[in-house]
Amino acid sequence: MRLAYHTITWGGVVGHATGVTSVKDLFYRTNGSMAEAVRDIGAAGYEGTEMFDGNLLDFADEPGTLKGLLDEAGLELVSVYTGANFVYADVLPDELHRVRRAAELAATFGAGRLVVGGGATRSAGIPGEDYDRLGETLDRVTAIAEEHGLEASYHPHLSTIVESPEQLDRLMSRTRIGFCPDTAHLAAGGGDPAALIRRYPDRIRHVHLKDFRPEPFAFLPLGEGTLDLPDIVAAVRESGYDSWLVVELDEYAGHPAEAARTSKAYLDRLLATGR
């Protein structure tokens, strides 16, 4: 397995401000420096990175700049993350326009994977047909990714209609998209991440790792929370997946580079010894 780290830790996650009035422009982004993030990730010993579509958009008119940063740090751009509501028919064309742009950017910068989250929770609750809508739309997302030579996977996420194991089950039977287990989000949604990986071994296409503490609630560097990470990695191995493990930590109280180093040391030890 190869190790990568998401640039999200250098600034957290926000949506592009223009997206408030223009859905087609509602890209994800982190407001930290991508140059600093790439340098720190490479210095920590990772081989790859994942970025938000909005951060790639910043380099769309000067792709050589980002490619140079990645080359200098010895990193591959492994994957690109995007997301949308996916259940509102009238805005869906603009959301898929944005997904297509994310796929174009991913292909431009050499990534092989498109990771998506989403499935909005309505103010009145969750109508059952929204799972049909989400499943159908994720199939369209998969087709867009394939048109650009990318592999697509779905990332269950808190605040969406796919938080709990039961909700994940409802979705997975309705779509062909791959599964990107995020260890902390699955746990925070009431699931056992290792059990859910073992439930869908043939659907694993990407993996997000972060640790989790329920009280007080926090996402944490690997080894600093309550998750059984040895069992999680064992489940990933049992599935036959033997590719990128991406550490994706939303925020950190100290310097992001410190969190990257902490998780890298933990993963190196775990992959070498199994514990």
Side-chain angles (χ1 to χ4, degrees):
M1 295 185 186
R2 303 176 70 189
L3 306 183
Y5 201 96
H6 199 301
T7 61
I8 185 175
T9 321
W10 284 258
V13 58
V14 296
H16 200 293
T18 58
V20 175
T21 52
S22 177
V23 170
K24 72 178 179 61
D25 298 313
L26 188 54
F27 293 92
Y28 274 123
R29 60 180 298 109
T30 184
N31 282 334
S33 165
M34 291 301 94
E36 178 185 359
V38 166
R39 286 193 295 267
D40 287 347
I41 292 167
Y46 293 91
E47 296 181 80
T49 189
E50 179 174 308
M51 292 184 180
F52 289 123
D53 50 356
N55 291 108
L56 290 186
L57 191 64
D58 292 342
F59 296 93
D61 293 331
E62 47 180 28
T65 300
L66 179 57
K67 290 178 180 179
L69 289 170
L70 292 167
D71 289 344
E72 185 177 333
L75 296 178
E76 295 180 33
L77 182 64
V78 176
S79 41
V80 175
Y81 191 102
T82 189
N85 296 286
F86 290 144
V87 297
Y88 302 119
D90 53 347
V91 301
L92 185 58
D94 282 348
E95 291 183 328
L96 291 177
H97 168 85
R98 194 173 70 247
V99 169
R100 184 173 297 278
R101 185 67 175 122
E104 292 170 352
L105 291 165
T108 295
F109 290 101
R113 299 176 181 180
L114 183 70
V115 188
V116 299
T121 300
R122 300 173 188 260
S123 61
I126 306 174
E129 54 268 29
D130 273 1
Y131 289 96
D132 295 324
R133 295 185 181 99
L134 179 57
E136 179 183 348
T137 300
L138 291 176
D139 282 350
R140 296 175 68 180
V141 169
T142 302
I144 290 170
E146 290 171 347
E147 289 170 14
H148 293 82
L150 307 172
E151 199 164 38
S153 58
Y154 177 77
H155 176 301
H157 205 289
L158 296 178
S159 81
T160 71
I161 65 173
V162 187
E163 290 186 334
S164 70
E166 294 76 20
Q167 291 172 328
L168 178 63
D169 289 342
R170 292 187 72 177
L171 174 66
M172 292 295 275
S173 63
R174 289 168 164 80
T175 180
R176 69 185 181 94
I177 200 169
F179 176 30
C180 171
D182 180 294
T183 53
H185 278 277
L186 292 175
D192 176 340
L196 291 169
I197 291 168
R198 291 186 171 105
R199 188 178 301 177
Y200 295 105
D202 297 335
R203 301 287 292 275
I204 307 297
R205 297 292 181 271
H206 197 59
V207 176
H208 276 182
L209 298 176
K210 53 178 169 275
D211 215 333
F212 171 64
R213 181 184 66 210
E215 289 292 339
F217 185 100
F219 293 149
L220 297 165
L222 302 181
E224 295 190 356
T226 62
L227 295 188
D228 187 348
L229 290 164
D231 192 38
I232 289 169
V233 171
V236 172
R237 282 175 156 158
E238 290 166 17
S239 76
Y241 180 89
D242 187 23
S243 187
W244 291 99
L245 300 177
V246 181
V247 182
E248 188 243 13
L249 181 63
D250 301 52
E251 57 187 6
Y252 184 66
H255 195 283
E258 178 185 351
R261 292 191 296 267
T262 296
S263 291
K264 178 64 163 56
Y266 181 88
L267 273 177
D268 285 343
R269 183 173 66 253
L270 177 57
L271 293 174
T273 66
R275 60 182 186 276

